[in-house]
Amino acid sequence: MPITKVFSTEIERVSILDEHGKFDEKLGKGLIPDADLLRLYESMVACRHLDEVAFRLQRSGRMGTYPQNMGQEANSLGAAYALNKDDWLVPCYRENCGLFWRGVPMELILLHWMGDERGNAIPRELYCTPLAIPIGTQMLHATGLAWASKYRGEKRLACTFFGDGATSEGDFHEACNFAANLEIPVIFFCQNNFWAISVPGKIQCSAPTVAQRAIAYGMKTVQCDGNDLFAVVKCVRDMAAYTRETGKPAFIEGVTYRLGDHTTADDARRYRDAAEVEMWKTRDPITRLKAYMKDRKIWNDSKEGELKEKVEKEIAAAVERAETIAAPTRDDFFNAMYAELPPDLERQRDTMQTHGLGEDPAQLEGAEVRQLDHPEHAH
Ligand SMILES: Cc1ncc(C[n+]2csc(CCOP(=O)(O)OP(=O)(O)O)c2C)c(N)n1
C-alpha cells in the first residue's frame, strides 16, 4: 500500500499597511474611504486617551482594576467597521474601540470598571454583549447567539474576541467544535498579544501560529497584522462574506501586542523585556495610521491638536457622567435579575422598603441572634 498525503494546508498572513508605511495598493485600494478613515483614526485616538484617563482614575482610587487596550485598538475597531450593525459583537475586555464604534456610551465602560453593574446594561439595539471577565466564556455565548440567529433564519453572525491565552481554555475548544460541526456563523477573533498575563504564548501553544488550532476543527482561518487597520478590515470583511454565504464559522488571528501592563494590578516589567516593548511601539497601530494619513496629506498637526482637545472634553464629560450617576435604588437590586419576581423575593423587596437588608421582622421572630464577636464565631 502506498503512503498518500491525506492533509496539507497553509495559512495566509494579510498585511496592507506595514510598519514602514508601505501600503499595498492592490489589496488596500478602496477598502476604507478617506472620510471613514478619519473617523476610524479619531476613534482610536479617543480609545487611547480613555486608557490614559482610566489608568489615572485607578491610581487615584476612583476606579477598580482596569485593563488597558493600548496597542490593540485596530482589532475590534476594524471588525466593528467591517461587520453589519446588527451582527453580534461579543467582546472580552480589550475591545473598547469596537464597542465605541458601535455606539456603546463611554460611561458604561467606565461604570463597569468602577464596579457598577449598570455599566453592563448595553442598549439592545447595539448588538453587543457586556465585557467578559472569565476567560473563554464569551466564545460559547457567541456560538449560542449565532446558533439562535441561524435557527431563526436571520443572516446575523457573531464575532467574538479573546486572547491567545484563552485558546488554552476548554471553552474555546468546545465553542470551536460545536460551531464547526453544527455550521454556526461565528467569527472567532483571537487577539494574539503574545502574553497571557506573565505566561508567554510559546508556553501555551507549541504550534507556530494560533490559527492552526482552528484548522483542527475544519475551520477556515487567516492570520492578519492586527496592528494594521486595513488588514483587519479586509480579513473580517472576507471572513464575514464567507460565513454569511456558507453559514460556517471562521477564525482570525490578529497578531498584535499589548503595550501596557495586563491590568492596573500587574507590573509587566517583572516578566517582559523592555526591548520587546520598544520594538512593538514602532508597530503601534495609531502612529502607523497617522503617518500614512499625513503622507497622503489628509491629516496634519493642527487637525491632531483639534482632535486631542475634542477627545479630552468628550472623555472628561463621560467620566463626569459616570461619577455623578444617582446611586441604584433598593429595588434595582431585585429588578435586575427577574422579569417576574418570585413571591419570596417580592416580599424581601417590600420589607426592605421599611426595614434594612436581612431585617425581615417575620424571619427575625424567635431567631437566635449570633454575636459576631463571640469567641465561637471568631473565624
Ligand atoms: C476562567 C478564568 N481563569 C483565570 C482568569 C484570570 N485571568 C485573567 S486574564 C488572564 C489571562 C488572559 O490572557 P489572554 O487570553 O491571552 O488575554 P489578554 O489579557 O492577553 O488579552 C487570566 C488567566 C480569569 N479571568 N478567568
Side-chain angles (χ1 to χ4, degrees), residues 325-364:
I325 186 173
T329 66
R330 285 181 172 184
D331 278 5
D332 289 344
F333 186 72
F334 293 92
N335 294 344
M337 191 60 86
Y338 294 92
E340 271 175 50
L341 215 53
D344 57 329
L345 290 182
E346 203 172 303
R347 199 187 67 184
Q348 279 187 29
R349 183 195 59 195
D350 295 344
T351 330
M352 264 180 50
Q353 297 305 330
T354 45
H355 296 72
L357 183 63
E359 290 176 7
D360 184 341
Q363 282 180 346
L364 285 177

Side-chain angles (χ1 to χ4, degrees), residues 231-250:
V232 176
V233 169
K234 176 172 169 49
C235 288
V236 176
R237 216 173 251 170
D238 290 353
M239 287 306 200
Y242 162 83
T243 294
R244 248 184 263 285
E245 196 183 307
T246 61
K248 294 180 183 177

Side-chain angles (χ1 to χ4, degrees), residues 96-111:
N96 286 353
C97 217
L99 295 173
F100 297 153
W101 185 262
R102 266 289 166 89
V104 173
M106 268 182 199
E107 62 265 32
L108 290 191
I109 302 296
L110 290 167
L111 279 172

Side-chain angles (χ1 to χ4, degrees), residues 262-276:
H262 171 72
T263 64
T264 47
D266 173 48
D267 180 359
R269 287 172 305 180
R270 295 179 64 176
Y271 54 82
R272 231 170 40 172
D273 200 15
E276 179 182 296

Side-chain angles (χ1 to χ4, degrees), residues 5 31 77 118 125 149 155 195 261 267 270 296 345 353 355 369:
K5 223 179 208 177
L31 198 62
L77 179 65
R118 290 172 295 178
E125 65 277 13
S149 291
K155 270 284 170 203
W195 292 93
D261 293 327
D267 180 359
R270 295 179 64 176
R296 295 243 347 263
L345 290 182
Q353 297 305 330
H355 296 72
V369 178

Side-chain angles (χ1 to χ4, degrees), residues 72 93-94 133-135 163-166 169 193 195-197 258 262:
Q72 301 191 199
Y93 46 70
R94 282 189 225 282
I133 308 302
I135 301 300
D164 42 294
E169 287 281 348
N193 64 12
W195 292 93
I197 314 186
R258 77 168 147 79
H262 171 72

Side-chain angles (χ1 to χ4, degrees), residues 71-223:
Q72 301 191 199
E73 293 89 347
N75 294 282
S76 63
L77 179 65
Y81 175 71
L83 293 168
N84 290 343
K85 277 200 172 103
D86 62 353
D87 287 329
W88 282 104
L89 216 60
V90 185
C92 184
Y93 46 70
R94 282 189 225 282
E95 282 79 30
N96 286 353
C97 217
L99 295 173
F100 297 153
W101 185 262
R102 266 289 166 89
V104 173
M106 268 182 199
E107 62 265 32
L108 290 191
I109 302 296
L110 290 167
L111 279 172
H112 173 95
W113 296 110
M114 286 172 177
D116 191 321
E117 285 291 333
R118 290 172 295 178
N120 294 329
I122 295 176
R124 274 166 190 264
E125 65 277 13
L126 299 182
Y127 291 97
C128 300
T129 55
L131 311 191
I133 308 302
I135 301 300
T137 47
Q138 75 277 17
M139 301 182 250
L140 290 165
H141 298 159
T143 306
L145 285 165
W147 196 27
S149 291
K150 180 180 171 177
Y151 185 72
R152 290 173 178 169
E154 300 164 348
K155 270 284 170 203
R156 182 173 300 141
L157 56 85
C159 180
T160 185
F161 298 86
F162 47 91
D164 42 294
T167 66
S168 300
E169 287 281 348
D171 283 5
F172 166 74
H173 296 282
E174 287 164 22
C176 285
N177 199 40
F178 199 88
N181 292 345
L182 272 77
E183 301 194 348
I184 298 173
V186 195
I187 296 178
F188 293 95
F189 195 127
C190 176
Q191 291 210 54
N192 181 2
N193 64 12
F194 293 95
W195 292 93
I197 314 186
S198 56
V199 181
K202 276 188 212 130
I203 290 183
Q204 305 214 35
C205 180
S206 48
T209 69
V210 179
Q212 277 163 267
R213 293 192 155 177
I215 291 172
Y217 294 103
M219 243 188 265
K220 191 176 169 72
T221 184
V222 71
Q223 191 188 70

